[in-house]
Amino acid sequence: MSHRLPCRVADSVASAFAAAVVVFALTGCAAPAATPEFDAADLEAALGRVPTDVSSVHGLDLPLDRSLLTPLEEMEVIKARNTLVERCLADHGIAFTFPAVDPARDAAKPRPHGLVDAGEAAAYGYRDPAVFATHAPGAEQAARPASDVVAVITGTRGGEVGGRSLPPGGCAGEADRTLAVDAKPGQEPVSFALSRRSHEVTRNTPPVTAAAARWSRCMSAAGFAYDHPDAAINDPAFSAGRPSGHEIAVATQDVRCKEQANWVKTWVAVERSVQDTLIRRHGTDLAREQQHRDRQLTVARQVNG
C-alpha cells in the first residue's frame, strides 16, 4: 500500500517508463529526516480528541498535507527539472530530450488508507491506474544519453563544454538551484517524516483496529477471508498482469466494507488528531517547509508554462 512519495530530488538516474529510458527521478528516504517524540501519553491525549461518531468525518486530507507535495505536484517538479536540464545541455551545445512527463498521467495514485475509490476498484482492481496509462509511441525506446552527456548533467567532469564552463553540479545542479534556493527540490523531509510517523503511530490504535475487525467481518460475509485491509490489497494473487474478475470483485467489496465499517473515516480522524499535536511541536520547521514547497512549485509551473 502506497503512503507518501519520497524526499528530495537527487541526481540518481532512473527509468520512468522502461530500463532504457533515462529520467531524473525522486529518490527514496531510507529513514525519516526527523523522528519526533510521541509517547503513549501523547497518543492517549490525541485519541481522547477523536469523535466517538466519525460519520461526520469527510475527505482524506490531513493537516500535514499543507507542507507536502502531492504526487501530481512532484511530477510537475520532475517535469520542470528535466526541462531545465535540457535547456542547460542546449546551452552547452548538446541536444538531448527526456521522455515526456505528463503529471496528470504519470503521477502515482496516493493511497495512504488503501483503495477507497469504487470506480477505480471496478475498473482496475487494486492496480494503480497510472500503470495502464498510454505513453507516447517510442517512449520506451528512448535513447540513454552517452556517458559524456551524463557527465555534463551530473557535473562529474570539469572544464568547458560547448565553449562554456559547466555550472557547479552540472546541469542538474543548475536546475536544482533554479527550483529551490537550497538546491534541494522535491518532497519536504520534516513534513514527510512527521507524516510517516503519524501513519505508523495510528495504524494499530484501538479505534482503527476495531474498524479493521468490522471490515474483516463484512468481507467474510461476502465470501472473502481477509483479516485486515492490508491483507487484501497485498494479496500475491493481485500482484501481476491485468486484474482478474476475482480481484475486481474483492476490490469492489473491499471499498464497500470500508464504508460500512467506517474504517477510513476512523483512521483519518485519529491521524488528524495526532498530526495536530505534531504540528504544534514543529510549527517553525513546517512553516519553513511550506514556503519551500510553494516556491519550488511556483517556479516549476513557470518553467512548465
PDB file of all heavy atoms in Angstrom, residues 247-267:
ATOM      1  N   GLU A 247     -10.205 -10.465  -8.644  1.00  0.00           N
ATOM      2  CA  GLU A 247      -9.588  -9.301  -7.995  1.00  0.00           C
ATOM      3  C   GLU A 247     -10.545  -8.119  -7.974  1.00  0.00           C
ATOM      4  O   GLU A 247     -10.663  -7.425  -6.959  1.00  0.00           O
ATOM      5  CB  GLU A 247      -8.297  -8.905  -8.716  1.00  0.00           C
ATOM      6  CG  GLU A 247      -7.653  -7.653  -8.124  1.00  0.00           C
ATOM      7  CD  GLU A 247      -6.381  -7.232  -8.826  1.00  0.00           C
ATOM      8  OE1 GLU A 247      -5.797  -8.063  -9.547  1.00  0.00           O
ATOM      9  OE2 GLU A 247      -5.946  -6.072  -8.653  1.00  0.00           O
ATOM     10  N   ILE A 248     -11.211  -7.868  -9.073  1.00  0.00           N
ATOM     11  CA  ILE A 248     -12.142  -6.742  -9.138  1.00  0.00           C
ATOM     12  C   ILE A 248     -13.286  -6.938  -8.152  1.00  0.00           C
ATOM     13  O   ILE A 248     -13.719  -5.993  -7.482  1.00  0.00           O
ATOM     14  CB  ILE A 248     -12.661  -6.561 -10.577  1.00  0.00           C
ATOM     15  CG1 ILE A 248     -11.536  -5.984 -11.451  1.00  0.00           C
ATOM     16  CG2 ILE A 248     -13.884  -5.657 -10.616  1.00  0.00           C
ATOM     17  CD1 ILE A 248     -11.858  -5.893 -12.911  1.00  0.00           C
ATOM     18  N   ALA A 249     -13.756  -8.185  -8.016  1.00  0.00           N
ATOM     19  CA  ALA A 249     -14.831  -8.463  -7.061  1.00  0.00           C
ATOM     20  C   ALA A 249     -14.365  -8.203  -5.632  1.00  0.00           C
ATOM     21  O   ALA A 249     -15.095  -7.605  -4.820  1.00  0.00           O
ATOM     22  CB  ALA A 249     -15.303  -9.910  -7.210  1.00  0.00           C
ATOM     23  N   VAL A 250     -13.142  -8.655  -5.312  1.00  0.00           N
ATOM     24  CA  VAL A 250     -12.606  -8.429  -3.966  1.00  0.00           C
ATOM     25  C   VAL A 250     -12.407  -6.941  -3.719  1.00  0.00           C
ATOM     26  O   VAL A 250     -12.792  -6.418  -2.657  1.00  0.00           O
ATOM     27  CB  VAL A 250     -11.265  -9.180  -3.786  1.00  0.00           C
ATOM     28  CG1 VAL A 250     -10.615  -8.797  -2.447  1.00  0.00           C
ATOM     29  CG2 VAL A 250     -11.486 -10.684  -3.835  1.00  0.00           C
ATOM     30  N   ALA A 251     -11.809  -6.249  -4.690  1.00  0.00           N
ATOM     31  CA  ALA A 251     -11.534  -4.823  -4.523  1.00  0.00           C
ATOM     32  C   ALA A 251     -12.821  -4.026  -4.349  1.00  0.00           C
ATOM     33  O   ALA A 251     -12.899  -3.113  -3.510  1.00  0.00           O
ATOM     34  CB  ALA A 251     -10.744  -4.304  -5.723  1.00  0.00           C
ATOM     35  N   THR A 252     -13.830  -4.358  -5.135  1.00  0.00           N
ATOM     36  CA  THR A 252     -15.109  -3.650  -5.038  1.00  0.00           C
ATOM     37  C   THR A 252     -15.751  -3.869  -3.684  1.00  0.00           C
ATOM     38  O   THR A 252     -16.276  -2.930  -3.056  1.00  0.00           O
ATOM     39  CB  THR A 252     -16.052  -4.111  -6.168  1.00  0.00           C
ATOM     40  OG1 THR A 252     -15.420  -3.873  -7.439  1.00  0.00           O
ATOM     41  CG2 THR A 252     -17.368  -3.368  -6.116  1.00  0.00           C
ATOM     42  N   GLN A 253     -15.715  -5.104  -3.204  1.00  0.00           N
ATOM     43  CA  GLN A 253     -16.279  -5.402  -1.884  1.00  0.00           C
ATOM     44  C   GLN A 253     -15.450  -4.757  -0.784  1.00  0.00           C
ATOM     45  O   GLN A 253     -15.987  -4.301   0.235  1.00  0.00           O
ATOM     46  CB  GLN A 253     -16.347  -6.912  -1.668  1.00  0.00           C
ATOM     47  CG  GLN A 253     -17.057  -7.315  -0.379  1.00  0.00           C
ATOM     48  CD  GLN A 253     -18.528  -6.890  -0.359  1.00  0.00           C
ATOM     49  OE1 GLN A 253     -19.175  -6.836  -1.403  1.00  0.00           O
ATOM     50  NE2 GLN A 253     -19.049  -6.581   0.826  1.00  0.00           N
ATOM     51  N   ASP A 254     -14.149  -4.688  -0.979  1.00  0.00           N
ATOM     52  CA  ASP A 254     -13.246  -4.031  -0.029  1.00  0.00           C
ATOM     53  C   ASP A 254     -13.708  -2.589   0.216  1.00  0.00           C
ATOM     54  O   ASP A 254     -13.850  -2.141   1.366  1.00  0.00           O
ATOM     55  CB  ASP A 254     -11.835  -4.064  -0.604  1.00  0.00           C
ATOM     56  CG  ASP A 254     -10.788  -3.331   0.227  1.00  0.00           C
ATOM     57  OD1 ASP A 254     -11.135  -2.714   1.246  1.00  0.00           O
ATOM     58  OD2 ASP A 254      -9.602  -3.375  -0.175  1.00  0.00           O
ATOM     59  N   VAL A 255     -13.943  -1.848  -0.870  1.00  0.00           N
ATOM     60  CA  VAL A 255     -14.378  -0.460  -0.735  1.00  0.00           C
ATOM     61  C   VAL A 255     -15.721  -0.377  -0.019  1.00  0.00           C
ATOM     62  O   VAL A 255     -15.929   0.469   0.859  1.00  0.00           O
ATOM     63  CB  VAL A 255     -14.447   0.226  -2.118  1.00  0.00           C
ATOM     64  CG1 VAL A 255     -15.034   1.633  -1.995  1.00  0.00           C
ATOM     65  CG2 VAL A 255     -13.059   0.287  -2.749  1.00  0.00           C
ATOM     66  N   ARG A 256     -16.641  -1.265  -0.395  1.00  0.00           N
ATOM     67  CA  ARG A 256     -17.956  -1.278   0.270  1.00  0.00           C
ATOM     68  C   ARG A 256     -17.805  -1.510   1.764  1.00  0.00           C
ATOM     69  O   ARG A 256     -18.452  -0.846   2.586  1.00  0.00           O
ATOM     70  CB  ARG A 256     -18.840  -2.375  -0.322  1.00  0.00           C
ATOM     71  CG  ARG A 256     -19.312  -2.158  -1.744  1.00  0.00           C
ATOM     72  CD  ARG A 256     -20.463  -3.096  -2.067  1.00  0.00           C
ATOM     73  NE  ARG A 256     -20.741  -3.154  -3.493  1.00  0.00           N
ATOM     74  CZ  ARG A 256     -20.402  -4.157  -4.291  1.00  0.00           C
ATOM     75  NH1 ARG A 256     -19.751  -5.209  -3.788  1.00  0.00           N
ATOM     76  NH2 ARG A 256     -20.691  -4.133  -5.579  1.00  0.00           N
ATOM     77  N   CYS A 257     -16.967  -2.482   2.128  1.00  0.00           N
ATOM     78  CA  CYS A 257     -16.823  -2.820   3.546  1.00  0.00           C
ATOM     79  C   CYS A 257     -16.105  -1.727   4.322  1.00  0.00           C
ATOM     80  O   CYS A 257     -16.388  -1.511   5.508  1.00  0.00           O
ATOM     81  CB  CYS A 257     -16.090  -4.157   3.681  1.00  0.00           C
ATOM     82  SG  CYS A 257     -17.101  -5.591   3.206  1.00  0.00           S
ATOM     83  N   LYS A 258     -15.162  -1.036   3.678  1.00  0.00           N
ATOM     84  CA  LYS A 258     -14.524   0.091   4.356  1.00  0.00           C
ATOM     85  C   LYS A 258     -15.548   1.166   4.690  1.00  0.00           C
ATOM     86  O   LYS A 258     -15.499   1.776   5.768  1.00  0.00           O
ATOM     87  CB  LYS A 258     -13.410   0.668   3.483  1.00  0.00           C
ATOM     88  CG  LYS A 258     -12.125  -0.141   3.508  1.00  0.00           C
ATOM     89  CD  LYS A 258     -11.121   0.361   2.505  1.00  0.00           C
ATOM     90  CE  LYS A 258      -9.842  -0.483   2.550  1.00  0.00           C
ATOM     91  NZ  LYS A 258      -8.970  -0.248   1.400  1.00  0.00           N
ATOM     92  N   GLU A 259     -16.462   1.406   3.766  1.00  0.00           N
ATOM     93  CA  GLU A 259     -17.513   2.393   4.020  1.00  0.00           C
ATOM     94  C   GLU A 259     -18.433   1.912   5.132  1.00  0.00           C
ATOM     95  O   GLU A 259     -18.791   2.678   6.037  1.00  0.00           O
ATOM     96  CB  GLU A 259     -18.300   2.639   2.740  1.00  0.00           C
ATOM     97  CG  GLU A 259     -17.499   3.338   1.645  1.00  0.00           C
ATOM     98  CD  GLU A 259     -18.264   3.468   0.345  1.00  0.00           C
ATOM     99  OE1 GLU A 259     -19.368   2.893   0.244  1.00  0.00           O
ATOM    100  OE2 GLU A 259     -17.757   4.137  -0.570  1.00  0.00           O
ATOM    101  N   GLN A 260     -18.815   0.652   5.076  1.00  0.00           N
ATOM    102  CA  GLN A 260     -19.730   0.107   6.084  1.00  0.00           C
ATOM    103  C   GLN A 260     -19.096   0.097   7.475  1.00  0.00           C
ATOM    104  O   GLN A 260     -19.764   0.367   8.481  1.00  0.00           O
ATOM    105  CB  GLN A 260     -20.139  -1.317   5.688  1.00  0.00           C
ATOM    106  CG  GLN A 260     -21.111  -1.981   6.664  1.00  0.00           C
ATOM    107  CD  GLN A 260     -21.540  -3.359   6.187  1.00  0.00           C
ATOM    108  OE1 GLN A 260     -21.833  -3.558   5.004  1.00  0.00           O
ATOM    109  NE2 GLN A 260     -21.562  -4.319   7.094  1.00  0.00           N
ATOM    110  N   ALA A 261     -17.796  -0.222   7.534  1.00  0.00           N
ATOM    111  CA  ALA A 261     -17.103  -0.319   8.821  1.00  0.00           C
ATOM    112  C   ALA A 261     -16.547   1.015   9.305  1.00  0.00           C
ATOM    113  O   ALA A 261     -16.027   1.092  10.422  1.00  0.00           O
ATOM    114  CB  ALA A 261     -15.958  -1.324   8.700  1.00  0.00           C
ATOM    115  N   ASN A 262     -16.668   2.059   8.475  1.00  0.00           N
ATOM    116  CA  ASN A 262     -16.086   3.374   8.808  1.00  0.00           C
ATOM    117  C   ASN A 262     -14.587   3.268   9.077  1.00  0.00           C
ATOM    118  O   ASN A 262     -14.032   4.004   9.902  1.00  0.00           O
ATOM    119  CB  ASN A 262     -16.787   3.986  10.029  1.00  0.00           C
ATOM    120  CG  ASN A 262     -18.040   4.735   9.630  1.00  0.00           C
ATOM    121  OD1 ASN A 262     -18.158   5.231   8.513  1.00  0.00           O
ATOM    122  ND2 ASN A 262     -18.999   4.817  10.542  1.00  0.00           N
ATOM    123  N   TRP A 263     -13.931   2.371   8.353  1.00  0.00           N
ATOM    124  CA  TRP A 263     -12.501   2.158   8.590  1.00  0.00           C
ATOM    125  C   TRP A 263     -11.683   3.387   8.188  1.00  0.00           C
ATOM    126  O   TRP A 263     -10.841   3.853   8.947  1.00  0.00           O
ATOM    127  CB  TRP A 263     -12.023   0.925   7.827  1.00  0.00           C
ATOM    128  CG  TRP A 263     -10.602   0.551   8.114  1.00  0.00           C
ATOM    129  CD1 TRP A 263     -10.118   0.004   9.269  1.00  0.00           C
ATOM    130  CD2 TRP A 263      -9.477   0.693   7.250  1.00  0.00           C
ATOM    131  NE1 TRP A 263      -8.766  -0.203   9.169  1.00  0.00           N
ATOM    132  CE2 TRP A 263      -8.344   0.209   7.929  1.00  0.00           C
ATOM    133  CE3 TRP A 263      -9.318   1.181   5.946  1.00  0.00           C
ATOM    134  CZ2 TRP A 263      -7.070   0.197   7.371  1.00  0.00           C
ATOM    135  CZ3 TRP A 263      -8.051   1.169   5.384  1.00  0.00           C
ATOM    136  CH2 TRP A 263      -6.944   0.680   6.093  1.00  0.00           C
ATOM    137  N   VAL A 264     -11.937   3.914   7.016  1.00  0.00           N
ATOM    138  CA  VAL A 264     -11.174   5.077   6.555  1.00  0.00           C
ATOM    139  C   VAL A 264     -11.506   6.301   7.396  1.00  0.00           C
ATOM    140  O   VAL A 264     -10.612   7.045   7.824  1.00  0.00           O
ATOM    141  CB  VAL A 264     -11.440   5.353   5.063  1.00  0.00           C
ATOM    142  CG1 VAL A 264     -10.728   6.628   4.622  1.00  0.00           C
ATOM    143  CG2 VAL A 264     -10.993   4.173   4.208  1.00  0.00           C
ATOM    144  N   LYS A 265     -12.784   6.551   7.647  1.00  0.00           N
ATOM    145  CA  LYS A 265     -13.176   7.703   8.452  1.00  0.00           C
ATOM    146  C   LYS A 265     -12.525   7.654   9.828  1.00  0.00           C
ATOM    147  O   LYS A 265     -12.059   8.671  10.364  1.00  0.00           O
ATOM    148  CB  LYS A 265     -14.704   7.752   8.588  1.00  0.00           C
ATOM    149  CG  LYS A 265     -15.440   8.182   7.334  1.00  0.00           C
ATOM    150  CD  LYS A 265     -16.951   8.138   7.568  1.00  0.00           C
ATOM    151  CE  LYS A 265     -17.732   8.603   6.347  1.00  0.00           C
ATOM    152  NZ  LYS A 265     -17.654  10.070   6.164  1.00  0.00           N
ATOM    153  N   THR A 266     -12.479   6.445  10.413  1.00  0.00           N
ATOM    154  CA  THR A 266     -11.885   6.297  11.739  1.00  0.00           C
ATOM    155  C   THR A 266     -10.399   6.601  11.702  1.00  0.00           C
ATOM    156  O   THR A 266      -9.878   7.359  12.533  1.00  0.00           O
ATOM    157  CB  THR A 266     -12.114   4.871  12.262  1.00  0.00           C
ATOM    158  OG1 THR A 266     -13.518   4.622  12.364  1.00  0.00           O
ATOM    159  CG2 THR A 266     -11.466   4.681  13.628  1.00  0.00           C
ATOM    160  N   TRP A 267      -9.706   6.007  10.727  1.00  0.00           N
ATOM    161  CA  TRP A 267      -8.257   6.225  10.655  1.00  0.00           C
ATOM    162  C   TRP A 267      -7.935   7.688  10.369  1.00  0.00           C
ATOM    163  O   TRP A 267      -7.045   8.276  10.963  1.00  0.00           O
ATOM    164  CB  TRP A 267      -7.655   5.323   9.584  1.00  0.00           C
ATOM    165  CG  TRP A 267      -6.154   5.177   9.694  1.00  0.00           C
ATOM    166  CD1 TRP A 267      -5.317   5.838  10.550  1.00  0.00           C
ATOM    167  CD2 TRP A 267      -5.325   4.298   8.925  1.00  0.00           C
ATOM    168  NE1 TRP A 267      -4.010   5.446  10.348  1.00  0.00           N
ATOM    169  CE2 TRP A 267      -3.983   4.499   9.366  1.00  0.00           C
ATOM    170  CE3 TRP A 267      -5.571   3.384   7.911  1.00  0.00           C
ATOM    171  CZ2 TRP A 267      -2.914   3.798   8.803  1.00  0.00           C
ATOM    172  CZ3 TRP A 267      -4.495   2.691   7.359  1.00  0.00           C
ATOM    173  CH2 TRP A 267      -3.190   2.897   7.812  1.00  0.00           C
TER     174      TRP A 267
END
